[in-house]
């Protein structure tokens, strides 16, 4: 199991976590991953998932996203992208579009800008349908 900055011991549990993350676009938390993978490995602990996710993050295999204040979420898609976030159910969707945001010299405050990450907040179609019009 090698990608990014080094290798990890390929245990069956780690391989199951990697398999779960492969192509996963749900931005799962460690608890989400544990719930899915524990079906196959009932003796696995949540600590194993946290430790594995930390190791994957350190090796550049996943990115930790700080969108949900209640829990860490992970994104295995390392391509540059932005997010749509439902304020009600916390669903996170990827947006693969470039937003050329230019800052003036004063606004840069001496930074060399290397990129940006845009987050859009609102109600997903499912939550919007569930909310009466006067609440929106």
């Amino acid at each position: 199991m090698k990608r990014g900055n080094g290798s990890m011991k390929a245990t069956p549990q780690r391989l199951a976590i990697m398999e779960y993350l492969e192509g996963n676009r749900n931005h799962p938390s460690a608890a989400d991953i544990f719930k899915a993978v524990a079906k196959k490995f009932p003796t696995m602990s949540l600590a194993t998932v946290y430790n594995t996710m930390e190791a994957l993050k350190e090796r550049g295999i996943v990115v930790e996203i700080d969108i949900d204040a209640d829990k860490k979420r992970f994104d295995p898609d390392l391509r540059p992208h932005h997010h749509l976030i439902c304020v009600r159910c916390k669903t996170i969707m990827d947006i693969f579009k470039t937003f050329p945001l230019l800052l003036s010299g004063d606004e840069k405050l001496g930074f060399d800008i290397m990129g940006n990450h845009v987050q859009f907040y609102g109600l997903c179609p499912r939550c919007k349908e569930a909310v009466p019009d006067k609440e929106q």
Side-chain angles (χ1 to χ4, degrees):
M1 177 183 307
K2 188 170 182 171
R3 185 173 156 190
N5 323 345
S7 61
M8 294 172 40
K9 185 177 178 186
T11 66
Q13 293 88 348
R14 286 181 177 165
L15 290 172
I17 290 169
M18 291 290 294
E19 184 178 303
Y20 176 78
L21 292 172
E22 188 70 32
N24 189 310
R25 307 237 357 230
N26 294 326
H27 307 85
S29 68
D32 297 331
I33 297 165
F34 173 74
K35 185 177 175 183
V37 178
K39 294 173 187 171
K40 188 174 181 181
F41 294 95
T43 60
M44 183 173 54
S45 70
L46 183 56
T48 297
V49 176
Y50 276 112
N51 292 337
T52 299
M53 296 312 296
E54 191 61 33
L56 294 174
K57 184 177 82 172
E58 288 172 6
R59 287 163 176 78
I61 296 170
V62 299
V63 176
E64 184 180 316
I65 53 178
D66 59 359
I67 289 172
D68 189 343
D70 298 330
K71 56 187 169 183
K72 292 180 181 181
R73 307 280 290 263
F74 297 94
D75 194 344
D77 193 333
L78 302 180
R79 296 175 294 169
H81 64 279
H82 308 284
H83 293 106
L84 284 166
I85 304 143
C86 180
V87 297
R88 178 173 266 189
C89 71
K90 307 294 188 207
T91 294
I92 303 169
M93 303 298 294
D94 295 332
I95 304 171
F96 292 94
K97 178 181 173 159
T98 301
F99 296 99
L101 302 172
L102 303 176
L103 299 176
S104 71
D106 290 344
E107 293 169 323
K108 288 183 190 180
L109 302 173
F111 277 69
D112 289 333
I113 305 300
M114 301 163 77
N116 64 38
H117 180 167
V118 178
Q119 298 175 169
F120 296 94
Y121 295 90
L123 292 174
C124 69
R126 189 181 66 218
C127 289
K128 185 177 176 183
E129 189 175 296
V131 177
D133 284 340
K134 61 183 172 183
E135 281 188 41
Q136 292 182 28

